[in-house]
Amino acid sequence: MRCLDFGPLRTAAMIWFAFLLFLVQENGRGVGATSNYLIGLGSYDITGPAADVNMMGYANMEQIASGIHFRLRARSFIVAEPQGNRVLFVNLDACMASQLVTIKVLERLNARYGDLYTEKNVAISGIHTHAGPGGYLQYVVYIVTSLGFVRQSFNALVDGIEQSVVQAHENLRPGSVFVNTGEILNAGINRSPSAYLNNPAAERGKYKYDVDKEMTLLKFVDDEWGPVGSFNWFATHGTSMSRTNGLISGDNKGAAARFMEDWFDQNNAGSTLSKASKSIEISRRISNIIPIVHEKHHELLEIAASFHPSPGRPSTKFMSMARRVRSALRLTDRPRFVSAFCQTNCGDVSPNVLGAFCTDTGLPCDFNHSTCGGKNELCYGRGPGYPDEFENTRIIGERQFKKAVNLFNTASEQLKGKVDFRHTYLNFSKLEVTIPKEGGGMRVVKTCPAAMGFAFAAGTTDGPGAFDFKQGDDKGNAFWKLVRDFLKTPDQEQVDCQQPKPILLDTGEMKKPYDWAPSILPIQILRIGQLAILSVPGEFTTMAGRRLRDAVKTVLTGSGQFNGSVHVVIAGLTNTYSQYITTFEEYEIQRYEGASTLYGPHTLSAYIQEFKKLATALTSGQPVQKGPRPPDLLNKQISLLPPVVVDATPLGKKFGDVSSDVPKNSTFKKGDTVTVVFWSACPRNDLMTEGTFSLVELLQGNDTWLPVYDDDDFCLRFKWSRPAKLSARSRATMEWSIPETAAPGVYRIRHFGAARSLFGSIKHFTGSSSAFVVA
Ligand SMILES: *[C@@H]1O[C@H](CO)[C@@H](O)[C@H](O)[C@H]1NC(C)=O
Ligand SMILES: *[C@@H]1O[C@H](CO)[C@@H](O)[C@H](O)[C@H]1NC(C)=O
Ligand SMILES: *[C@@H]1O[C@H](CO)[C@@H](O)[C@H](O)[C@H]1NC(C)=O
Ligand SMILES: *[C@@H]1O[C@H](CO)[C@@H](O)[C@H](O)[C@H]1NC(C)=O
Ligand SMILES: *[C@@H]1O[C@H](CO)[C@@H](O)[C@H](O)[C@H]1NC(C)=O
């Protein structure tokens, strides 16, 4: 049979195809776009101590780090005008920014780059995960549960941020930035709707939802390399992991970032990955479509049986062996793709979208008070993966990741125009604020020194009963015992100023042994063309955020400098931390967020007034006052967390020996969980920065082990534990849930660690499980 002649059709199809290709390429770069900026992105490990340290966020003394779910990172972008201004934005997989971290990072950047990066044009923002090590903030209230300052947590952040910025700086090249927005309907609900309902009905009537559903995404496209990353802002708390979780985790936003970076690498596996990366990538993800014909199941079992758990001997090549899977996944001809999921006005937004229920009755909690039979301890929010917190994290992460990919793929509005910034420090203890008077005219009101209300101690439905602040608490927190004598009774002026908040802790007026709460706060606007990023040092609620954005937008559009499109995003928890900011009306209700709005009922009005001044200065080209500098309290910090004294193993066992192996001659299928336990040592001895504590390896050929999953993978958990609090012995449990995409073959699980001798020397060790088969 002769082939049909498709000649003319084929020519038409080729022309059409060429046209489509043209469209795709043009779209990738933005239609008709020319690059107008220099752009650079960077990313670095900031995981911190995975043992003994209290987690930041829930203020639950019993929530102590004991392993890693996946790693934490600092992700940075720089946008610069070729001969002009530049801005640097750093997103941290941390609960919040810290004044002290910001001060020290700026000192490091000043030492490297002079005046290129200063407090004015640098924003450092936290995603609000409640599953990262604490102790890195400088004010007393934020380090009570971590037994004071934790140097190692602090250093991991400062060092990691610096490295991430260095990468971004060195990657600066001509490129463009695109902006896109879209809604995610099912990743956040209002956890204090009774407070929201106190906002004026007319104002509420302007909005469809009682939380913001919009994600704003920036897509970074290098002139030569194409897309190099994305940053987005979306409001939802980092409380998918619970207040009892002990594994370090980036929660839903960290997960979304991990998913999106992996997604990008997989989609580019064909073209730009190195040879080693390709084979890893193939074994990780796309094995299903490559038929494995040469190895039968029993042959695999035989091969597996020929490998024995390797002894835990130290190795000089240790660090190169502990190399992460993702280091090998680097693209060969350009920097790694960086994708960050940043926090915005999440103050009253919970990721536990099924609502809050009583653990005893299963009924919804009391609407106005989030209590169960009058008690807050039993009322918990439920995530979409209830009762599995890892599933909660994965699902809420995935919802953000999928929307981000969609916005990334369809971004077409290019940012054009000036890069600029304004920054000022304000003393929030006594700001005068001019607000409209009821019945017309204006009046002057004041903010107050910081104070926390009683509802603060009740916590939220994401973590009830957050702080046991009862006087005379003797439950063994040495730091709390040390500082509780400095409790202060507020004077009448402060009581009146904070009305109707009943004051539990008058933190703004407690200065011993050093400041309990900040009074000097930074506010900042970063401008990139028609985008304005508002850096705020706390958690704005939904309506508070809307009011602030609207106020700034009005100033910006009123200036006539923007042609129609203006995007305003709030970067929450940025540069320092001062808890919550509600509206005046929400403050009246005094739920957790109102009780944690430190500077009184007019806190939000003060922000709006001062941000309008910044925006006016920005558009009119005027400078702003520097304002009073916040204190550097590093030398005053008290640390009561005991150091690692010594690590030990039982007689006859070495570090890295298997304590509980995989069953002999066993075959696992996808979806199974493989568990191996090793004799281990305290992870604080070496944080394995940009390395890993655990590794899943796949056998290639006869004796080559290929790393395929590490402790930054969602499917592999590293759990660390001591049999007793003061024991020198410890175990590391690796749990690998075999993903659907894993290649069939022979695998083993390895552990890397570092042990401390009585004399203080640190020795690295490694160990391996028996080999096993995944069918
Ligand atoms: C919540 O409180 C408001 C104001 O006191 C009251 O009108 C409302 O009935 C309460 N709602 C519920 C469900 O208890
Ligand atoms: C706004 O429009 C004017 C006139 O069309 C143009 O000259 C100017 O460059 C535009 N500005 C921006 C920021 O796009
Ligand atoms: C902030 O204002 C308060 C109240 O006026 C004052 O006591 C305090 O000294 C000020 N702090 C700084 C650092 O200026
Ligand atoms: C291992 O298991 C396979 C199939 O389950 C079996 O055929 C084989 O005899 C076993 N080998 C050993 C050494 O137990
Ligand atoms: C693996 O070992 C077998 C038997 O010892 C040998 O025949 C084969 O060549 C080896 N394959 C590789 C890739 O080294």
Side-chain angles (χ1 to χ4, degrees):
M1 201 174 79
R2 141 191 140 81
C3 291
L4 295 170
D5 184 9
F6 281 119
L9 247 180
R10 194 191 302 140
T11 311
M14 277 168 69
I15 293 170
W16 179 236
F17 181 72
F19 177 64
L20 280 182
L21 202 65
F22 166 80
L23 279 186
V24 167
Q25 281 174 347
E26 280 304 297
N27 201 30
R29 316 237 150 169
V31 178
T34 46
S35 72
N36 42 351
Y37 300 127
L38 301 175
I39 59 169
L41 279 69
S43 168
Y44 204 81
D45 190 350
I46 53 165
T47 301
D52 305 333
V53 176
N54 184 241
M55 300 280 210
M56 188 64 199
Y58 289 116
N60 173 15
M61 268 177 57
E62 267 113 65
Q63 193 195 359
I64 303 292
S66 53
I68 294 177
H69 178 209
F70 58 90
R71 284 189 173 256
L72 309 177
R73 299 194 73 80
R75 296 176 171 89
S76 307
F77 75 74
I78 297 168
V79 177
E81 289 181 286
Q83 250 78 49
N85 288 335
R86 63 181 60 198
V87 292
L88 160 62
F89 188 92
V90 184
N91 188 54
L92 303 179
D93 289 344
C95 197
M96 64 278 291
S98 144
Q99 185 64 66
L100 197 52
V101 168
T102 304
I103 289 172
K104 294 302 161 192
V105 166
L106 290 169
E107 284 175 11
R108 299 260 186 108
L109 295 181
N110 183 263
R112 277 181 185 272
Y113 303 116
D115 284 341
L116 226 38
Y117 305 102
T118 67
E119 63 201 14
K120 291 183 185 168
N121 63 348
V122 174
I124 304 177
S125 186
I127 61 168
H128 212 35
T129 171
H130 285 43
Y136 62 92
L137 287 92
Q138 70 172 355
Y139 298 105
V140 170
V141 143
Y142 309 127
I143 53 174
V144 167
T145 54
S146 59
L147 302 176
F149 189 68
V150 180
R151 189 83 204 194
Q152 207 173 20
S153 298
F154 175 77
N155 285 348
L157 279 161
V158 175
D159 294 347
I161 296 168
E162 184 185 17
Q163 290 310 315
S164 154
V165 173
V166 167
Q167 278 180 23
H169 180 86
E170 288 175 356
N171 287 337
L172 268 179
R173 294 155 47 90
S176 316
V177 189
F178 298 86
V179 62
N180 202 359
T181 58
E183 282 190 338
I184 310 174
L185 296 181
N186 53 3
I189 61 164
N190 197 305
R191 69 182 188 187
S192 287
S194 59
Y196 180 90
L197 282 173
N198 205 41
N199 291 311
E203 182 183 37
R204 283 184 282 118
K206 291 195 289 183
Y207 303 97
K208 199 165 166 193
Y209 305 105
D210 63 1
V211 296
D212 286 337
K213 305 279 190 187
E214 191 170 83
M215 174 182 274
T216 301
L217 177 132
L218 299 184
K219 174 180 183 174
F220 296 87
V221 183
D222 184 283
D223 277 5
E224 203 181 301
W225 293 324
V228 287
S230 73
F231 276 59
N232 71 67
W233 290 266
F234 175 78
T236 196
H237 249 71
T239 46
S240 289
M241 297 299 283
S242 77
R243 69 191 289 276
T244 53
N245 159 60
L247 301 187
I248 290 179
S249 169
D251 208 272
N252 57 63
K253 285 188 182 289
R258 169 70 20 263
F259 298 156
M260 187 148 178
E261 290 175 348
D262 286 354
W263 163 81
F264 184 85
D265 284 347
Q266 283 151 46
N267 282 275
N268 287 270
S271 56
T272 42
L273 290 178
S274 66
K275 205 174 143 208
S277 317
K278 268 183 202 159
S279 59
I280 291 169
E281 198 48 59
I282 285 165
S283 37
R284 276 168 73 94
R285 319 280 175 185
I286 47 180
S287 55
N288 295 356
I289 47 173
I290 298 173
I292 306 236
V293 284
H294 59 291
E295 282 160 330
K296 300 239 163 50
H297 180 217
H298 69 268
E299 285 170 12
L300 290 180
L301 278 172
E302 253 168 52
I303 296 169
S306 69
F307 287 93
H308 303 286
S310 53
R313 60 180 132 61
S315 161
T316 46
K317 285 192 191 151
F318 178 79
M319 279 321 282
S320 64
M321 292 196 308
R323 186 195 57 185
R324 323 249 309 246
V325 170
R326 257 169 219 87
S327 316
L329 275 183
R330 270 194 66 144
L331 303 168
T332 46
D333 59 346
R334 56 171 168 168
R336 184 191 292 171
F337 183 82
V338 176
S339 193
F341 287 69
C342 312
Q343 193 54 276
T344 173
N345 54 322
C346 69
D348 51 358
V349 189
S350 168
N352 297 316
V353 293
L354 301 187
F357 298 87
C358 299
T359 50
D360 53 349
T361 60
L363 297 171
C365 312
D366 172 75
F367 177 78
N368 281 324
H369 305 290
S370 297
T371 48
C372 301
K375 289 185 185 154
N376 65 62
E377 297 95 302
L378 298 177
C379 173
Y380 277 91
R382 288 183 187 170
Y386 174 83
D388 182 341
E389 59 188 310
F390 296 96
E391 275 300 283
N392 291 340
T393 301
R394 183 186 65 75
I395 295 167
I396 298 294
E398 213 159 78
R399 287 173 184 172
Q400 292 174 77
F401 151 62
K402 286 191 169 144
K403 177 51 71 176
V405 166
N406 170 255
L407 296 177
F408 180 85
N409 284 337
T410 57
S412 62
E413 182 188 343
Q414 191 176 1
L415 294 185
K416 286 179 180 169
K418 278 189 208 162
V419 171
D420 208 347
F421 44 83
R422 289 292 183 280
H423 176 285
T424 192
Y425 290 113
L426 298 163
N427 185 344
F428 261 76
S429 343
K430 227 166 240 179
L431 270 180
E432 294 199 340
V433 191
T434 308
I435 57 168
K437 210 168 17 183
E438 261 174 70
M442 302 301 274
R443 67 186 176 119
V444 175
V445 292
K446 282 181 181 166
T447 57
C448 338
M452 303 198 302
F454 272 87
F456 167 79
T460 71
T461 52
D462 290 333
F467 233 125
D468 191 5
F469 257 131
K470 286 191 273 298
Q471 283 254 29
D473 171 10
D474 239 335
K475 285 214 198 101
N477 180 339
F479 189 78
W480 178 240
K481 281 187 205 162
L482 193 127
V483 298
R484 69 175 171 200
D485 297 338
F486 300 113
L487 290 187
K488 184 178 177 301
T489 314
D491 59 21
Q492 196 55 43
E493 192 186 351
Q494 169 74 327
V495 170
D496 293 343
C497 186
Q498 292 277 357
Q499 282 287 0
K501 180 197 287 172
I503 297 172
L504 173 66
L505 284 174
D506 192 17
T507 50
E509 302 188 297
M510 289 152 65
K511 308 277 180 194
K512 291 203 172 126
Y514 42 94
D515 292 5
W516 279 59
S519 61
I520 311 300
L521 299 180
I523 61 167
Q524 178 185 50
I525 303 181
L526 304 181
R527 175 185 175 183
I528 308 168
Q530 68 272 35
L531 171 79
I533 301 171
L534 315 182
S535 304
V536 301
E539 309 175 49
F540 275 59
T541 60
T542 301
M543 197 61 99
R546 287 167 177 168
R547 287 187 195 171
L548 176 65
R549 284 196 305 257
D550 285 353
V552 170
K553 201 165 183 169
T554 303
V555 175
L556 297 180
T557 48
S559 73
Q561 288 180 16
F562 297 81
N563 295 347
S565 174
V566 179
H567 298 269
V568 180
V569 294
I570 289 174
L573 306 114
T574 298
N575 292 331
T576 187
Y577 183 61
S578 64
Q579 296 167 256
Y580 285 75
I581 299 93
T582 64
T583 66
F584 176 85
E585 295 81 358
E586 290 161 356
Y587 186 90
E588 298 292 299
I589 302 297
Q590 281 295 305
R591 280 183 58 95
Y592 176 83
E593 295 80 13
S596 308
T597 295
L598 296 183
Y599 309 96
H602 304 295
T603 304
L604 174 62
S605 301
Y607 274 103
I608 290 175
Q609 169 181 294
E610 298 302 321
F611 262 106
K612 279 162 85 175
K613 288 186 197 162
L614 277 196
T616 305
L618 186 80
T619 52
S620 62
Q622 298 299 311
V624 291
Q625 297 275 320
K626 268 184 144 196
R629 299 194 77 70
D632 173 345
L633 303 174
L634 183 58
N635 294 331
K636 296 190 173 174
Q637 295 298 314
I638 296 170
S639 305
L640 299 181
L641 179 74
V644 183
V645 178
V646 65
D647 292 293
T649 51
L651 214 63
K653 299 286 179 198
K654 294 187 292 288
F655 293 110
D657 277 0
V658 170
S659 147
S660 166
D661 206 352
V662 290
K664 285 268 169 279
N665 195 27
S666 53
T667 301
F668 296 89
K669 15 179 234 314
K670 291 159 189 185
D672 286 351
T673 297
V674 185
T675 303
V676 184
V677 185
F678 295 92
W679 289 108
S680 188
C682 187
R684 285 159 74 197
N685 296 325
D686 184 337
L687 304 181
M688 300 290 183
T689 302
E690 291 289 357
T692 186
F693 287 102
S694 54
L695 198 57
V696 172
E697 292 181 321
L698 170 63
L699 186 65
Q700 293 254 301
N702 285 351
D703 53 7
T704 305
W705 291 97
L706 201 63
V708 280
Y709 300 95
D710 64 21
D711 68 12
D712 201 16
D713 273 290
F714 207 86
C715 64
L716 181 59
R717 292 178 201 163
F718 158 57
K719 297 179 171 175
W720 182 85
S721 67
R722 286 193 185 98
K725 211 166 183 179
L726 293 175
S727 172
R729 283 182 197 168
S730 62
R731 287 188 178 92
T733 303
M734 313 301 177
E735 288 176 6
W736 181 42
S737 305
I738 305 170
E740 287 303 315
T741 49
V746 175
Y747 285 83
R748 66 177 183 181
I749 295 179
R750 298 183 72 189
H751 175 34
F752 301 89
R756 188 185 171 91
S757 76
L758 250 185
F759 309 104
S761 66
I762 303 284
K763 242 189 189 153
H764 287 95
F765 63 86
T766 177
S768 161
S769 74
S770 296
F772 54 91
V773 172
V774 172

